[in-house]
Amino acid sequence: MQDVDARSISAGDFCRGSLPVEPPGRNHDGLRAAAAAGDPDAMHSLGRVLAGQGDGEGSRTWSRRAAEAGHLEAMDTLGCLLLADQQTDGAAAWFRRAAHGGYPGAMSNLAALLAQQGEVEEARAWWLSAAAEGHAAAMYNLGALSVVQGDTQEAFRWYERGAQAGNPDAMHCLGSLLEEREDAALAEAWYERAGARGNPVALFKRGALRYRHGHIDAARVCWQLAAERGDATAMFNLGALEHGRGDSKEARAWWQRAAEAGDTDAMRHLGPLLEEEGDTEGARAWHQRAEEADSPGSV
């Protein structure tokens, strides 16, 4: 068995918590009536609607009814709901049933669960099956697995396929490999495409490329977009830009956000800045948090 970093694995959108957003006041009486009459599609749709409304019990109930009626996507949805409740065995069972029924999303989700449990070869087999059906996240995951196993050529091939199929994580990773090959122009093009689909790391890396080429304003825009999506390193860099311009107030604001998001470099820089402003208590607190972050096992 091999260990795979769970952070490099991409589950389906629903398993990552991307639930349908329900407009307030929408009437679902017709959907409920169809579900109650035994329509598996309606049961599944109602389960998704209820999940989006925060009704976990109702969502599981209708998703299970649809799954038991043979609805493959509902099996996958139910697996995701069970996984969110840390019912791993139940989730795996429903993913497996849907995967054997030919549903690519379930194949990929089952593979992600298996990989995180160390069952890498079975995970690879399911990802290959999903990729053969055109599942872009499975292609990305095959690339991530290849990186772990030290085969960058194979990783490049899978990231390229996943990127061309529209997966933003694959676009970002393809850009990283292209940057390593010193193809900055093509790397930036893939970072741009990934960033347009909301990938914050790609936005950060595009900003870093712009900065290295002396395009500071363009770098700032990329880092601001990445920061808006929660990238702490982008927040830190924005603070550094402002500090370099002599704007300690803006620098402090960005470093504060980055530090609160867990960036240890921001914590280290925030301490001295607060000391300069006379906030010795705040400086001491951030110095201590930086030390604790450097030594997570300490008490």
Side-chain angles (χ1 to χ4, degrees):
M1 294 193 303
Q2 294 170 289
D3 291 331
V4 177
D5 186 349
R7 293 170 298 181
S8 69
I9 300 301
S10 174
D13 288 342
F14 193 86
C15 274
R16 288 185 297 191
S18 179
L19 301 177
V21 178
E22 278 297 298
R26 173 173 287 183
N27 189 302
H28 294 290
D29 289 346
L31 186 62
R32 289 179 182 276
D39 183 333
D41 287 332
M43 295 176 194
H44 172 246
S45 296
L46 182 57
R48 299 271 296 191
V49 166
L50 293 172
Q53 294 175 345
D55 183 354
E57 183 177 354
S59 178
R60 285 189 296 275
T61 296
W62 285 108
S63 296
R64 186 179 297 276
R65 288 186 62 177
E68 290 171 348
H71 196 287
L72 295 177
E73 188 175 354
M75 295 178 194
D76 183 54
T77 296
L78 180 58
C80 292
L81 291 169
L82 293 172
L83 193 60
D85 286 340
Q86 300 184 343
Q87 298 181 44
T88 307
D89 291 344
W94 282 110
F95 287 150
R96 194 174 292 277
R97 281 186 62 177
H100 280 296
Y103 188 69
M107 296 175 194
S108 189
N109 285 334
L110 175 61
L113 193 54
L114 289 167
Q116 291 165 9
Q117 294 173 341
E119 302 295 336
V120 176
E121 290 312 310
E122 187 180 359
R124 183 204 302 277
W126 281 113
W127 276 326
L128 285 169
S129 296
E133 298 293 328
H135 197 276
M139 298 172 193
Y140 160 76
N141 284 328
L142 285 164
L145 184 58
S146 298
V147 168
V148 170
Q149 297 176 333
D151 190 343
T152 54
Q153 284 296 112
E154 185 72 355
F156 188 95
R157 184 172 76 88
W158 281 114
Y159 284 151
E160 188 171 39
R161 284 187 61 183
Q164 290 170 348
N167 183 273
D169 293 328
M171 295 174 189
H172 152 238
C173 290
L174 178 59
S176 294
L177 290 182
L178 287 164
E179 192 173 353
E180 289 176 10
R181 296 181 179 188
E182 299 185 354
D183 190 343
L186 193 53
E188 184 174 356
W190 281 112
Y191 288 153
E192 183 178 8
R193 290 182 64 177
R197 287 164 175 78
N199 187 292
V201 181
L203 288 165
F204 170 79
K205 289 187 174 181
R206 188 181 182 213
L209 277 176
R210 295 287 81 207
Y211 183 84
R212 286 199 292 273
H213 286 89
H215 305 304
I216 309 302
D217 289 339
R220 186 192 308 277
V221 170
C222 291
W223 287 338
Q224 285 173 337
L225 291 170
E228 289 171 5
R229 289 162 175 78
D231 191 283
T233 311
M235 298 173 196
F236 171 77
N237 281 6
L238 288 165
L241 287 180
E242 298 303 335
H243 192 260
R245 295 200 309 174
D247 191 338
S248 60
K249 182 178 179 181
E250 278 297 306
R252 184 181 71 245
W254 280 115
W255 283 342
Q256 181 91 28
R257 285 183 61 183
E260 289 171 352
D263 188 278
T264 53
D265 287 332
M267 295 176 195
R268 295 190 194 95
H269 283 72
L270 190 56
L273 190 60
L274 291 172
E275 284 179 355
E276 291 175 9
E277 297 176 353
D279 185 357
T280 55
E281 184 176 343
R284 189 181 304 112
W286 283 114
H287 281 309
Q288 183 176 348
R289 284 190 59 177
E291 290 175 2
E292 291 171 353
D294 287 335
S295 305
S298 62
V299 178

